[in-house]
Each structure stands twice: as structure tokens, then as C-alpha cells.
Amino acid sequence: MPSFRQELHSLFPEKETVFHFLGRYLFHPTNAVWGLISRYYEAYLSKADVTVGIQIRSFDATPDPVIVDQILSCTTRENVLLEMSQQEGGANSSIKQKKKVSVLITSLSSGYFEQIRDLYWENPTTTGEVVAVFQPSNERYQQSEKQNHNRKAWTEIYLLSLTDKLVTSSSSTFGYVAQGLRGVRPWILSETENQTAPDPPCRRVMSMEPCFHSPAFFNCKTKRGIDPGAVVPHVRHCEDRSWGLKLFQNHSK
């Protein structure tokens, strides 16, 4: 809408920071939720040298081994997490000297957390760093009508936004909010097809803005359909949903 363009440009000269600034300004946890956030952060994340957030959007009660392999392939290939060594004992360094990595996993199921935790417990990393894996809750299925369930969801979104590196699921608003609040471009897991791990397993998004899944494709002036991702240079189609729209920083200038 041209009538709003100049005002919006003045407010948000960096186009991909709109949700980041609005979200940080508007989304303030209640005291009860902030207590959940701060206590968990202090107990499990604050002492780590590096923190990694992994958001897994799956409604299945049983973890999918394809998704587990995909997460490990993505995180090791992109140097988000360290590769595991097949040698007993791993790198030779004292416990005090070892770098500590804390991994925060959010999922309705506890299975992904348990498998990844056990792998990093039973196998050393190639460089000797210690990887600790945590999951705040596992509600098993979505219960949006329950206030306590929503408090936990908001807590986990905020905790994800406090991590140094972030991996999210495709087409997930849960992940979108976390990346927007953090102000980072996460690695987004590619969708699996026919129980086959995609290649590449993930990719870095080009913009930290969330994807709008249901844009209008009708031009009221011309009375016909249009491609809304081709109207202005800073509004394009999303990496994870080809029909969705999101804001990008326009570097053409």
C-alpha cells in the first residue's frame, strides 16, 4: 500500500527487523512465565560456553528415526553441533578445560530429546567438548485450551530465543517467533517426503522474519490474480512455503 510506504520505511529502514522489534516491544512474559524462563535458563543454559536451540514440530508420539538422522546430519554438517567420535575416550583434555555446549530441545515428544541426549552421553565428540542436552517439557500433544500448556509453550519459545544457534522446523510459527525474538537467521529443517531424509537436511534462511502462510493473491484494482511475491523487492516468497510471504532486506541499493 503506497500510502503507508514512507511511514513504514521510516519506522523500519531494515525490512527484516519488523517482527524482531515489534515482538521485543509487545511480547512481555507475565511474572509467572518469566519465573519459568529465568529459573530454567540459570539452571541449564547460563553456564554453557555455547547454547544451541533445536525446535522439533512433530505431532507423532513416537519419534521418527528419519527426523533424528536429519537433525544430526544438519547440525554436524552446518557446524551447529560437534561430530561424535567412534574412538573410546575422545579428545584428551581435562574436564575443567573442556568446552561445554548446552542443547535445548523443544518438542511435544520426549523421544527426540532422549535419543540425542543418549548419543552425546554414550559417544565423545571429536574435539573433546561436552554436549549436554535438555528439554523443559514434553506435553505429548497440543493442548491450546489449557492455560498451563500455553505458559510452557511461551516459556520454551522465549528460551529458544536466548540460544546462540537455532535450528527450527519447516512452516512452524513456534520457530518463527523464536527466531524473530532472537533476531537471527536459523537453520530450517527441510520437510521429509515418503520417510526419506531430504538432502540437504536443512538450510540457512535468508531472512529472520516469519512467513505469512495465507497471503491474498487477488488484486482489487485489476480484478485478477497476481504474484504477491513480485510486487515490491522486499516482499518475497518464503524458503519453507513457496506460496507464503515474508519480508527480506532489499540489498539492490
Side-chain angles (χ1 to χ4, degrees), residues 11-229:
L11 285 169
F12 306 105
E14 297 288 329
K15 301 297 185 295
E16 66 168 311
T17 62
V18 172
F19 186 88
H20 174 67
F21 285 119
L22 289 178
R24 295 292 290 268
Y25 183 75
L26 296 171
F27 292 159
H28 294 278
T30 61
N31 290 340
V33 173
W34 184 249
L36 294 173
I37 294 167
S38 58
R39 287 190 295 273
Y40 198 93
Y41 184 84
E42 287 298 324
Y44 300 105
L45 303 176
S46 63
K47 305 298 190 298
D49 297 295
V50 178
T51 55
V52 176
I54 302 177
Q55 180 255 336
I56 305 166
R57 188 56 161 159
S58 175
F59 293 98
D60 296 328
T62 305
D64 186 344
V66 174
I67 295 179
V68 175
D69 291 341
Q70 180 187 2
I71 292 168
L72 294 173
S73 177
C74 165
T75 52
T76 54
R77 184 184 298 190
E78 299 295 334
N79 295 317
V80 176
L81 282 178
L82 306 156
E83 289 190 24
M84 284 169 275
S85 172
Q86 300 305 313
Q87 295 182 359
E88 203 62 41
N92 185 21
S93 60
S94 69
I95 291 176
K96 289 184 178 180
Q97 293 175 333
K98 288 183 178 180
K99 189 176 181 180
K100 295 178 178 62
V101 179
S102 286
V103 180
L104 176 77
I105 291 181
T106 65
S107 174
L108 290 171
S109 166
S110 63
Y112 295 101
F113 152 71
E114 291 167 354
Q115 289 193 35
I116 296 172
R117 177 201 61 189
D118 290 350
L119 282 169
Y120 276 102
W121 177 38
E122 295 167 1
N123 301 280
T125 59
T126 54
T127 50
E129 286 91 338
V130 174
V131 178
V133 185
F134 307 102
Q135 180 177 6
S137 71
N138 52 287
E139 298 284 277
R140 300 183 63 189
Y141 56 93
Q142 192 161 314
Q143 307 165 58
S144 301
E145 73 284 355
K146 295 183 178 179
Q147 191 74 346
N148 194 48
H149 177 84
N150 293 330
R151 287 194 188 101
K152 290 179 180 178
W154 178 209
T155 296
E156 293 184 8
I157 289 172
Y158 206 99
L159 284 169
L160 286 171
S161 78
L162 298 176
T163 57
D164 300 315
K165 301 177 182 178
L166 187 59
V167 178
T168 63
S169 294
S170 175
S171 304
S172 173
T173 51
F174 197 104
Y176 294 158
V177 176
Q179 75 191 42
L181 290 176
R182 181 70 175 98
V184 295
R185 298 168 184 159
W187 288 268
I188 195 163
L189 296 168
S190 305
E191 290 190 13
T192 59
E193 293 184 8
N194 301 320
Q195 294 297 304
T196 303
D199 188 24
C202 63
R203 56 178 172 165
R204 194 86 180 263
V205 299
M206 299 295 292
S207 166
M208 62 188 177
E209 280 287 295
C211 176
F212 178 39
H213 289 173
S214 305
F217 290 87
F218 186 75
N219 187 312
C220 296
K221 290 183 179 179
T222 61
K223 307 293 183 184
R224 62 182 182 183
I226 60 167
D227 177 4

Side-chain angles (χ1 to χ4, degrees), residues 211 217 227 236-245:
C211 176
F217 290 87
D227 177 4
R236 287 180 257 157
H237 291 295
C238 310
E239 299 93 342
D240 53 341
R241 284 213 175 184
S242 59
W243 62 88
L245 293 180

